[in-house]
Each structure stands twice: as structure tokens, then as C-alpha cells.
Amino acid sequence: MGTNLTLWGVGTPRTLRVHWALLELGLEYESKPILSRSGETKTAEYTALNPRQKIPLLQDGAFAIGESAAIVAYLARKYSRPGHSLVPEDAEGHARWLEWCFFTIAELDATALYVIRRHGTNLGHLYTDAPEVVAQCGEYFRHQLQFVEAALADGRDYLVGEKFTTADILLGTCLTWAVNYRVGICDNAVPYLERLTSRDAYQRASISNMPKDSAKVS
Ligand SMILES: N[C@@H](CCC(=O)N[C@@H](CS)C(=O)NCC(=O)O)C(=O)O
């Protein structure tokens, strides 16, 4: 398929989501491997593209979009095709997919993991360390995972409709993020996560998402 896709950003769970979705959909794209907290999100060129000065950002021709969950939803909507769809079409499946996407971003990513990232992982010089807040966020995260534990208890392979969707990309990246931070994940998420991370597109995305110069990672 002739596309003109450029993805800005590597090195974070949020950027991984977009590399993963692009590779699941078999899309070719140019990677601009800029990093967070490197100054690269603050250049005049990048700020003109994304005034929020955040990664990831996707350019699709003249169209540009930020927010990892919105980007993968856009890719799913525009580039899914029979046999390679990342979003449910039917009304109830679509609503359930939205429920998982909002839950994962609001309750797991923004409320818990990103707070732990900012206040509990050696970024005290930027955001101040806050061990009590970090402990609370870990507890909150594990409590929220009860929803995941209950859903996966019926033995489903993926979150919605037995088909892999971008909701799995969002949850999968939060689960690996939590494992890396030793926050702990629920029992049923363990085989689910293995299923996700053994996908060919995930493996290739993990490589594409690696910082090109590890000395620059902060
Ligand atoms: N909700 C946004 C969060 C994006 C975000 O906070 N990105 C961080 C890295 S994970 C960033 O670009 N920070 C800017 C910087 O540190 O330079 C998303 O999911 O895309």
C-alpha cells in the first residue's frame, strides 16, 4: 500500500504502541527516533508539528496526530483490511473496545504508571521523588487489574471478540511497563501477556522502538 507515514519517537511504552500497530498492519513508515527528556521534543521544528512537545506523533501525509491511543485508533480505522483489522466493526464490539481503551489509558497509564515513572524512577531532579505516592499508585494499579483478571477468567485470547485489537496493544504495553517497574500484574494477565509479546509484530516493534543511541537515554 502506498503510504507516507512518519512516526516520531522511540524508547517509551507509548511510542512502542505505534510501532507495534504499524507493524501489525503491515505498513511501511519512516521512523524519526527522537527521545523524551533529550531536548528533541522541544526543537522549533518539532514544536511546530506538536505544540504539546510530546512523543509519539504520527504524520500521515499532511495529517498529524498525537496521543498514542488516538494514533493507533486512527491507524486501525484507516488501514485495517479483512484479515488484518485492529478494531471491531459491530456496535457492541466497538463500544467494548472503547471501554478497554479508555480504561487502560485513564486508570492504568495516566493515573498509575506515569505517576510512578515521574515520581519513583530516578527522575527526582525533574519531578521530585514521592515514595508514598508511588506506593499508592502501585496499589491502585493492582486493584484496577481486578477488571482484567475477571475478564480474562473466561479463557479469551484477546480483550474483545476473540480478535487482537489496539485495546490489546494498550493493555499489553501497560502490563510490560508494570512488570518492568515490579508493580506486579494479575495471574490471568501472565499467559495473556506472553501471547501478546510472542507476536511477530511485537518483537519487531520492540527493536524499532529501541533508542538509536543508548547513551542519550535519560
Ligand atoms: N498521553 C500521551 C503521553 C505522551 C507522553 O507523555 N510522552 C512523554 C514520553 S513517554 C514525552 O514525550 N515527554 C516529553 C519529553 O520528556 O520531552 C500519549 O499516550 O501519547
Side-chain angles (χ1 to χ4, degrees), residues 21-205:
L22 286 160
L23 292 168
E24 288 282 353
L25 291 165
L27 297 167
E28 287 183 11
Y29 63 101
E30 181 184 355
S31 175
K32 301 268 193 188
I34 65 169
L35 293 165
S36 59
R37 285 177 294 280
S38 64
E40 292 171 312
T41 60
K42 303 216 170 6
T43 64
E45 180 198 9
Y46 190 72
T47 303
L49 282 173
N50 186 358
R52 290 197 299 272
Q53 300 183 319
K54 296 249 185 186
I55 51 173
L57 180 88
L58 180 82
Q59 289 178 278
D60 185 357
F63 179 66
I65 180 164
E67 289 297 325
S68 56
I71 300 171
V72 295
Y74 166 74
L75 288 170
R77 169 85 193 267
K78 181 157 180 193
Y79 293 107
S80 283
R81 57 192 192 284
H84 271 85
S85 172
L86 294 183
V87 57
E89 293 297 328
D90 65 293
E92 285 187 10
H94 195 270
R96 191 65 72 207
W97 169 79
L98 274 178
E99 182 184 33
W100 277 112
C101 293
F102 284 122
F103 164 77
T104 304
I105 293 302
E107 304 294 352
L108 304 182
D109 176 319
T111 304
L113 295 170
Y114 197 44
V115 181
I116 296 174
R117 172 67 178 134
R118 287 160 65 99
H119 300 292
T121 61
N122 296 323
L123 293 179
H125 56 295
L126 294 174
Y127 305 117
T128 70
D129 290 327
E132 280 174 28
V133 172
V134 167
Q136 289 284 336
C137 284
E139 256 177 57
Y140 186 81
F141 180 88
R142 287 185 293 275
H143 184 71
Q144 291 299 313
L145 280 196
Q146 288 180 353
F147 180 37
V148 174
E149 183 72 356
L152 297 178
D154 61 10
R156 71 184 74 177
D157 281 347
Y158 303 110
L159 290 175
V160 188
E162 284 307 320
K163 287 209 179 117
F164 179 85
T165 69
T166 64
D168 297 297
I169 290 180
L170 301 182
L171 182 58
T173 48
C174 281
L175 291 171
T176 48
W177 195 355
V179 169
N180 291 340
Y181 285 179
R182 295 185 167 76
V183 172
I185 62 174
C186 56
D187 293 345
N188 292 337
V190 175
Y192 166 78
L193 187 56
E194 276 170 16
R195 199 155 41 246
L196 298 188
T197 55
S198 62
R199 293 176 75 86
D200 179 62
Y202 175 85
Q203 306 272 332
R204 291 192 294 131

